[in-house]
Amino acid sequence: MADILRDADIVAIQEVVSGYGGAQAVAKLADNLNRKGAKWDYVISNPTHSSKYVTERYAFIWKTKNIKIKNRGELITELDSLVDREPFFLDFFIKGQKLTVLNFHSRPHDKNPEAEITAITQYLLSLDIKSPLVLAGDFNVNEKDSVFTPLKEAGFKASIVNRKTTLKSVCKNNVYVNHAIDNIFYSPQISKLEGKVVDFVKFCENLISARQLSDHLPVLLEFEIE
């Protein structure tokens, strides 16, 4: 994982186990990244206010050379009653310019994640945030779905379009990807240079070992702040 992520500046991680093992794993990943030639720091959220088998933590890992923080982030408690796993946000300061990143993992596709996306969208638009903002994670909904229309009408754009990001359990006909449900939405103050899926599988014979890392492929947004 450290080899895959080493060229990033900020990494948003979902599905961190809420118990001690999850925090340990993130710390170990940060330690391995620190051995790759750059200095990294990390934060882990408190467990989400969810039922026993739904609760998770989120994490951010970032390079400290040009990126600073002023607090350790927080879960958006205003959304507790509306989403299963409330988003975790952190303000990053990149050469003095604030960038707010929301990290989110929705409920499964058959349990109405659209309602959660609507609630988050309404919350964000009610804040009337003027600084650059990113909403990243696993939405369990394709960005083409109409539930994202209000976000797009507010000027947000998706980093990738119709790119499958989940891994099948078995490779068939040389195809190992399944659903286009992970994305990074960015506000109008952000200018995209590149958006892509980081394919660390590459070949069918790598699928089993790849799924030991994750059953999702990372989404990458390279950007400038206007």
Side-chain angles (χ1 to χ4, degrees):
M1 291 177 70
D3 285 335
I4 295 166
L5 301 174
R6 63 185 298 174
D7 292 330
D9 294 298
I10 299 172
V11 179
I13 302 175
Q14 302 86 44
E15 292 195 64
V16 178
V17 173
S18 60
Y20 181 63
Q24 273 190 315
V26 174
K28 187 174 181 179
L29 175 57
D31 183 58
N32 277 277
L33 283 165
N34 276 319
R35 301 171 192 270
K36 301 292 181 182
K39 175 63 178 174
W40 295 72
D41 197 1
Y42 69 95
V43 298
I44 304 170
S45 76
N46 290 326
T48 57
H49 298 111
S50 318
S51 60
K52 181 177 179 181
Y53 297 106
V54 175
T55 186
E56 296 171 355
R57 297 177 189 262
Y58 298 99
F60 287 112
I61 312 178
W62 67 94
K63 286 177 179 164
T64 60
K65 183 177 181 181
N66 296 313
I67 304 172
K68 309 300 178 187
I69 63 170
K70 296 182 180 180
N71 57 58
R72 307 298 287 180
E74 60 185 273
L75 294 166
I76 301 177
T77 56
E78 293 92 333
L79 293 169
D80 275 2
S81 63
L82 301 174
V83 302
D84 284 356
R85 290 175 287 254
E86 64 274 26
F88 179 60
F89 82 94
L90 182 61
D91 291 330
F92 295 94
F93 293 84
I94 305 170
K95 297 181 179 178
Q97 171 72 60
K98 185 170 83 167
L99 170 70
T100 300
V101 183
L102 272 70
N103 196 352
F104 177 60
H105 179 207
S106 79
R107 60 175 71 123
H109 69 91
D110 57 350
K111 295 187 177 181
N112 195 16
E114 292 85 356
E116 295 187 317
I117 294 166
T118 296
I120 293 170
T121 299
Q122 291 174 346
Y123 172 78
L124 288 178
L125 299 185
S126 73
L127 297 178
D128 194 27
I129 298 172
K130 302 299 184 184
S131 58
L133 186 144
V134 164
L135 171 60
D138 174 3
F139 298 93
N140 280 310
V141 178
N142 191 306
E143 63 83 27
K144 295 189 297 183
D145 193 283
S146 61
V147 73
F148 289 111
T149 299
L151 200 62
K152 293 176 180 177
E153 288 179 344
F156 282 78
K157 296 179 181 178
S159 300
I160 55 173
V161 177
N162 205 31
R163 291 292 310 278
K164 294 179 178 180
T165 56
T166 66
L167 299 181
K168 293 176 177 285
S169 56
V170 177
C171 189
K172 293 183 179 179
N173 300 320
N174 218 33
V175 176
Y176 49 80
V177 289
N178 212 3
H179 301 294
I181 57 175
D182 302 281
N183 222 311
I184 301 172
F185 290 88
Y186 57 95
S187 68
Q189 302 90 345
I190 294 171
S191 177
K192 182 176 80 169
L193 301 178
E194 183 181 19
K196 67 179 183 180
V197 176
V198 181
D199 185 355
F200 60 84
V201 183
K202 294 185 171 60
F203 303 102
C204 273
E205 52 265 34
N206 295 335
L207 181 61
I208 293 176
S209 59
R211 283 178 60 89
Q212 293 178 340
L213 300 182
S214 176
D215 60 347
H216 291 245
L217 297 174
V219 177
L220 173 72
L221 171 64
E222 183 180 356
F223 64 91
E224 291 179 341
I225 297 176
E226 296 181 349

